[in-house]
Amino acid sequence: MNNQSSLIEVAQIGRLVGLKGELKLHLQCDFPEQFKKGKKFKTQKGEELEVFSFNLSRELISFVGYQSREEAAKLVNTLLFTTQENSINECALKEGEFFWFDLIDAHVIDEDGTVLGQVDEIERIAVTDYLVIKTDEALVKKGLAKTFYLPYIDRYIIMFDKTKKEVLSKDGLGILENS
C-alpha cells in the first residue's frame, strides 16, 4: 500500500459505541466482506490499522491496539483506504460489474456520437451513483457547463465498455444542456 495514487477510500470511521472500542463504520464501497479480522487498511495520515472485529449487521468495527474507549476515540472521523490491487484480488465482481476506478477517465459519448466529456469522479447520492463529467472542451466553448452530473441508471447509461474506456449515454447531452 505504498502507492498513494492507487489508494481508494472504502469507509469512514464514525462515533464510538459502547465501552470496548467499537466504532460505527460508514461504508463507502459495495464490498463489506473485505472488513474481516486481520485485514489492514491505510488512513489519510498514512497509518495502518488492522481489523480486530467487524459486525456487518450492526456496522461496528474495532481495531488491534484500539480496544479501549479512550484509544478508539482517536480514530473517530478517520478515513480508511485500500489499494486498487487489493480490491481486484479480494472483491468478487459479478458478470457486468466493475469498479468505480474502472470508470474514471472514461470518455462519455451520447448515442448520436457527440463526445460529452470524461468521467472525473463518481459520487453516490442516496442510492444513486452519479458520474461527474468534465465537459469536452468543444462543448464548453459553445457555452455549456464545464462539469455536469450524469446519473448511472438505465435511463441514461446504455453501456460501459471497460476495454475502450467508453460510456455510451442516452440523453446525456440533454442533461448537460440543462446544467
Side-chain angles (χ1 to χ4, degrees):
M1 286 194 200
N2 52 9
N3 184 353
Q4 289 293 102
S5 64
S6 69
L7 290 179
I8 305 162
E9 182 181 338
V10 291
Q12 181 173 12
I13 298 172
R15 65 180 172 79
L16 283 163
V17 178
L19 302 173
K20 298 181 181 178
E22 291 183 308
L23 297 147
K24 189 76 171 166
L25 188 68
H26 303 283
L27 294 174
Q28 306 291 333
C29 68
D30 295 327
F31 302 99
E33 64 272 11
Q34 66 185 312
F35 295 91
K36 56 189 172 215
K37 184 175 179 129
K39 173 73 188 277
K40 295 178 181 176
F41 294 92
K42 286 281 191 191
T43 71
Q44 71 267 32
K45 296 177 183 175
E47 301 165 329
E48 191 171 77
L49 295 176
E50 181 179 339
V51 176
F52 179 75
S53 68
F54 176 60
N55 182 324
L56 176 59
S57 63
R58 295 183 62 214
E59 297 176 332
L60 296 179
I61 194 164
S62 65
F63 296 94
V64 172
Y66 295 89
Q67 282 98 16
S68 74
R69 186 168 176 81
E70 295 74 26
E71 286 297 312
K74 298 173 185 175
L75 300 177
V76 171
N77 292 325
T78 297
L79 300 177
L80 298 179
F81 296 87
T82 191
T83 63
Q84 290 182 9
E85 182 178 301
N86 283 346
S87 293
I88 291 167
N89 292 333
E90 297 174 7
C91 302
L93 294 178
K94 296 176 186 154
E95 184 69 32
E97 291 183 334
F98 44 87
F99 296 104
W100 280 11
F101 55 80
D102 292 331
L103 274 163
I104 301 297
D105 295 328
H107 289 84
V108 181
I109 302 168
D110 216 29
E111 61 187 334
D112 69 356
T114 304
V115 176
L116 300 177
Q118 207 166 9
V119 178
D120 191 41
E121 60 181 297
I122 301 169
E123 290 187 23
R124 179 167 287 162
I125 302 171
V127 296
T128 304
D129 295 332
Y130 289 83
L131 304 180
V132 181
I133 300 171
K134 183 177 177 185
T135 308
D136 187 75
E137 199 58 41
L139 297 174
V140 172
K141 287 180 182 174
K142 291 181 179 179
L144 296 175
K146 292 180 181 179
T147 60
F148 69 102
Y149 283 69
L150 183 63
Y152 199 94
I153 57 175
D154 291 342
R155 164 75 178 88
Y156 296 107
I157 303 297
I158 297 170
M159 66 170 283
F160 169 58
D161 186 328
K162 184 176 170 180
T163 317
K164 292 182 180 178
K165 283 230 31 124
E166 287 183 353
V167 176
L168 184 59
S169 75
K170 177 173 57 175
D171 299 327
L173 183 59
I175 290 177
L176 172 58
E177 289 172 339
N178 290 297
S179 293

